[in-house]
Amino acid sequence: MAYIDLQNVTYTYPLADKPSIEDVTLSFDKGKFYAILGANGSGKTTLCNIIRGFIPQFFQGDIKGEVKLQGKNLSEFSLAELAPKMGYIFQNPFNQITGARDNVYEEIAYGLEKFGVAPDEIRKRVDRVLEMTNTAAFADKNPFELSGGQQQRVALASVIVLEPDIMVIDEPTSQLDPQETERVFDIISRMKEMGKTIILVEHKIELIAEYADEVIALKNGRLLTSGPKEKVLSDITLKDHGIDMPPSVLLSEELKKRGIETEYFISRKQMMGFLKTLVRE
């Protein structure tokens, strides 16, 4: 049985004249890292809102089909019941930081306080997450005085500390520099190692090729393809649908055009290994 299962799901926002998600069937296994790709307006964020139960419980509109979590219809869960099971990271960390506390340590602890966790357990979990997210150095600072990358790590920490089994993450690196982007992906990778199910919307295709297990591609609200990253990211036709391809795949395609037979390597490391072999020959 799939951990999360969508069957023939169609959703139309109020007053919209066409669906934002149309006839999508997908399943997600526990403990895997899924990346969702697609051009702007393809339905990526809408799909995330369906998975986390915000549609139709928060956003109204018309939804058809079935969405299940561990075999139970998602509509049977209240948002309060889903909160400890499923964490959500916004694209802009400014929208996630509550401002209810004056420093990073207390901001990260705030959710645990709301859930009534014992103080000793709160301290233990916050200390562990500060180390994991590399945020201990500014634990005493006001979150709104931090850089965008630091704020994003605090936003991640404030969700990780709740220990949800599922993390739905919407373009967390869109406003970050390469160094902070790598830090965020390192944190996400560590969550996967802890057995969390990761559902990530992201445009940085090289990092998806490196870290993800499965890739889902959308266009105009419809499912283009899904499957293991090696299969999806080597499908050169996705370029025609506005989806970026790993540079190594584009290079593989160019080599093929020049008569050099090669696989579609999805990672830079694989491609560099092949090129070294080619040079030696």
Side-chain angles (χ1 to χ4, degrees), residues 73-193:
N73 201 303
L74 203 63
S75 62
E76 297 177 33
F77 294 91
S78 69
L79 290 179
E81 290 173 320
L82 286 174
K85 297 176 181 292
M86 195 176 304
Y88 184 78
I89 307 296
F90 290 87
Q91 180 177 355
N92 187 343
F94 191 83
N95 294 331
Q96 186 134 16
I97 293 171
T98 66
R101 296 292 185 267
D102 294 330
N103 62 60
V104 165
Y105 193 100
E106 293 179 355
E107 174 69 28
I108 294 171
Y110 182 66
L112 294 174
E113 293 172 2
K114 298 293 284 183
F115 281 123
V117 176
D120 286 348
E121 178 67 13
I122 289 176
R123 284 189 288 272
K124 183 170 69 175
R125 284 163 67 170
V126 172
D127 288 343
R128 185 167 62 239
V129 168
L130 284 169
E131 181 181 359
M132 176 185 174
T133 57
N134 196 24
T135 50
F138 43 85
D140 294 328
K141 290 189 176 181
N142 189 306
F144 294 113
E145 296 175 355
L146 303 177
S147 70
Q150 291 170 336
Q151 285 187 344
Q152 190 60 279
R153 279 187 276 149
V154 171
L156 276 163
S158 68
V159 175
I160 294 168
V161 78
L162 302 176
E163 299 182 353
D165 287 330
I166 303 163
M167 300 288 292
V168 182
I169 309 172
D170 192 358
E171 295 194 54
T173 70
S174 62
Q175 302 176 52
L176 305 187
D177 62 29
Q179 185 179 36
E180 285 292 351
T181 294
E182 288 283 358
R183 285 173 174 161
V184 166
F185 265 86
D186 180 62
I187 294 167
I188 295 171
S189 179
R190 293 177 68 181
M191 287 191 292
K192 182 199 164 188
E193 290 170 3

Side-chain angles (χ1 to χ4, degrees), residues 38-63:
N40 291 337
S42 62
K44 302 184 298 295
T45 296
T46 301
L47 180 61
C48 287
N49 283 329
I50 290 170
I51 291 169
R52 67 184 180 127
F54 268 41
I55 292 173
Q57 295 196 50
F58 184 77
F59 298 103
Q60 302 302 304
D62 180 41
I63 187 167

